[in-house]
């Protein structure tokens, strides 16, 4: 299936890229009074240009503002395709984009990434920032460590539309080794309190507030598995191998349970949310558990 730009509320569009798995993310566009604001870009040069073409279809002028929901390359690599826009993100998003660089491209070397150029956020914030795309008020919020340490959610209070970034996934397994299980649960509670009617997640189909409930359920399962695994002296991989994922079995990229359990184990042992983890080692363990490199269709 091809990416599709859909109006989800007045002046608000979701750009959904199937199938929503590794590095195949969503974006958003707010258009009002001849102005456009873009939320996230795409992983590859070709996908970013396709996004630019789609945005032109709803607003002839290029976006003047571009919000990155976090540092990961599938949401930021395409920033350079929108040179007219000021890139906005959390302070640590800028730091991580510069620190990590193009490392994501080395994980899937067979993907045609194109001539990607790093463009980190030029305007940063810590907790809250309000933007205005024409007459539309756009609220940016950092809710603490969750998917990463630098997540930004984008809330449109008048339209009741919430762009969650990868803090929430739709039809795909959540991913929190660089962030926090408990922090993800706290963030979900905060998002639910906003009262969204439309939820555009970082990956997968557009949904409603019920997506927050299913996300909470997955993270509570992680906490339970980590509590039991630590008590029994099992490793995260051993727990993953014994776990029946039940209602979450059909989610894309189920192998993420291994890195997720590593984060849950750390927190069960009292390590602070968002503390550093050896991601190369955790990723390698996930690959072994999966029987090979996870599929990336970027």
């Amino acid at each position: 299936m091809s990416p599709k730009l859909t109006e989800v509320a007045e002046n608000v569009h979701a750009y959904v890229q199937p199938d929503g798995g590794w590095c195949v993310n969503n974006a958003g566009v707010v258009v009002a009074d001849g102005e456009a604001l873009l939320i996230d870009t795409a992983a590859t040069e070709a996908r970013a240009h396709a996004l630019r073409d789609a945005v032109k279809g709803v607003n002839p002028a290029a976006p003047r503002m571009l919000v990155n929901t976090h540092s990961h390359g599938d949401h930021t690599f395409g920033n350079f395709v929108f040179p007219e826009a000021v890139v906005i993100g959390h302070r640590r998003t800028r730091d991580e984009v510069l620190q990590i660089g193009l490392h994501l491209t080395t994980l899937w070397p067979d993907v045609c990434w194109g001539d990607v150029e790093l463009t980190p956020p030029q305007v940063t914030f810590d907790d809250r920032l309000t933007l205005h795309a024409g007459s539309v008020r756009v609220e940016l919020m950092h809710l603490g460590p969750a998917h990463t340490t630098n997540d930004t959610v984008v809330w449109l209070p008048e339209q009741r539309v919430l762009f969650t970034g990868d803090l929430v996934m739709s039809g795909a397994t959540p991913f929190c080794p660089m962030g926090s299980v408990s922090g993800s649960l706290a963030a979900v509670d905060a998002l639910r309190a906003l009262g969204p009617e439309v939820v555009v997640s970082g990956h997968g189909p557009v949904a409603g507030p019920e997506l927050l409930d299913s996300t909470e359920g997955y993270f509570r399962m992680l906490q339970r598995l980590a509590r039991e695994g630590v008590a029994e002296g099992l490793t995260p991989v051993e727990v993953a191998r014994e776990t029946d994922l039940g209602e979450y079995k059909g989610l894309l990229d189920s192998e993420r349970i291994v890195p997720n359990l590593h984060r849950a184990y750390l927190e069960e042992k009292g390590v602070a949310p968002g503390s550093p983890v050896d991601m190369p080692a955790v990723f390698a363990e996930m690959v072994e558990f999966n029987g090979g490199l996870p599929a990336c269709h970027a």
Side-chain angles (χ1 to χ4, degrees):
M1 295 175 63
S2 299
K4 186 176 182 180
L5 188 67
T6 303
E7 188 170 25
V8 296
E10 185 177 6
N11 300 319
V12 186
H13 305 259
Y15 185 76
V16 176
Q17 298 191 101
D19 60 2
W22 290 102
C23 301
V24 185
N25 66 299
N26 297 333
V29 190
V30 180
V31 176
D33 308 314
E35 296 186 10
L37 177 148
L38 181 62
I39 303 163
D40 282 333
T41 54
T44 69
E45 182 180 13
R47 284 183 178 273
H49 279 292
L51 172 60
R52 184 179 177 95
D53 290 342
V55 173
K56 282 184 179 179
V58 294
N59 196 70
R64 294 196 303 117
M65 294 181 285
L66 194 174
V67 177
N68 285 149
T69 60
H70 60 291
S71 63
H72 292 166
D74 49 339
H75 297 258
T76 62
F77 280 176
N79 288 357
F80 79 102
V81 172
F82 299 87
E84 305 89 346
V86 174
V87 184
I88 303 161
H90 190 268
R91 171 175 50 84
R92 285 193 292 269
T93 296
R94 175 181 170 84
D95 294 342
E96 283 196 3
V97 168
L98 292 171
Q99 177 185 356
I100 297 171
L102 300 178
H103 176 68
L104 181 64
T105 64
T106 69
L107 299 180
W108 285 279
D110 294 336
V111 169
C112 184
W113 299 97
D115 295 323
V116 175
E117 302 173 16
L118 286 181
T119 303
Q122 298 146 315
V123 174
T124 62
F125 71 101
D126 284 325
D127 298 312
R128 301 285 190 276
L129 182 65
T130 299
L131 307 175
H132 296 273
S135 59
V136 177
R137 179 161 55 103
V138 180
E139 298 182 358
L140 310 185
M141 294 178 283
H142 171 64
L143 302 175
H147 172 61
T148 68
T149 62
N150 58 90
D151 302 300
T152 294
V153 297
V154 182
W155 169 235
L156 280 62
E158 294 164 9
Q159 291 79 10
R160 317 306 296 175
V161 178
L162 177 66
F163 290 87
T164 68
D166 286 0
L167 197 155
V168 172
M169 307 274 195
S170 178
T173 303
F175 190 62
C176 67
M178 290 163 278
S180 171
V181 177
S182 60
S184 293
L185 286 166
V188 167
D189 282 345
L191 297 180
R192 188 182 288 114
L194 295 173
E197 296 177 1
V198 177
V199 177
V200 184
S201 60
H203 294 252
V206 176
E210 71 282 352
L211 187 56
L212 302 177
D213 298 334
S214 59
T215 300
E216 177 184 355
Y218 181 87
F219 285 117
R220 294 207 180 280
M221 177 191 71
L222 283 179
Q223 287 184 324
R224 174 180 57 79
L225 291 173
R227 185 170 58 252
E228 294 172 353
V230 168
E232 296 173 15
L234 300 175
T235 67
V237 169
E238 288 170 336
V239 171
R241 287 182 178 138
E242 292 182 1
T243 295
D244 179 358
L245 290 172
E247 62 183 295
Y248 308 108
K249 187 176 183 178
L251 297 179
L252 290 174
D253 308 320
S254 61
E255 67 276 2
R256 290 175 182 164
I257 190 172
V258 172
N260 288 340
L261 279 171
H262 271 280
R263 173 57 62 184
Y265 263 56
L266 288 174
E267 294 185 15
E268 178 65 21
K269 295 176 180 179
V271 177
S275 57
V277 66
D278 186 348
M279 278 306 299
V282 169
F283 191 86
E285 197 171 273
M286 179 185 70
V287 171
E288 182 179 0
F289 170 82
N290 189 55
L293 191 66
C296 175
H297 301 130

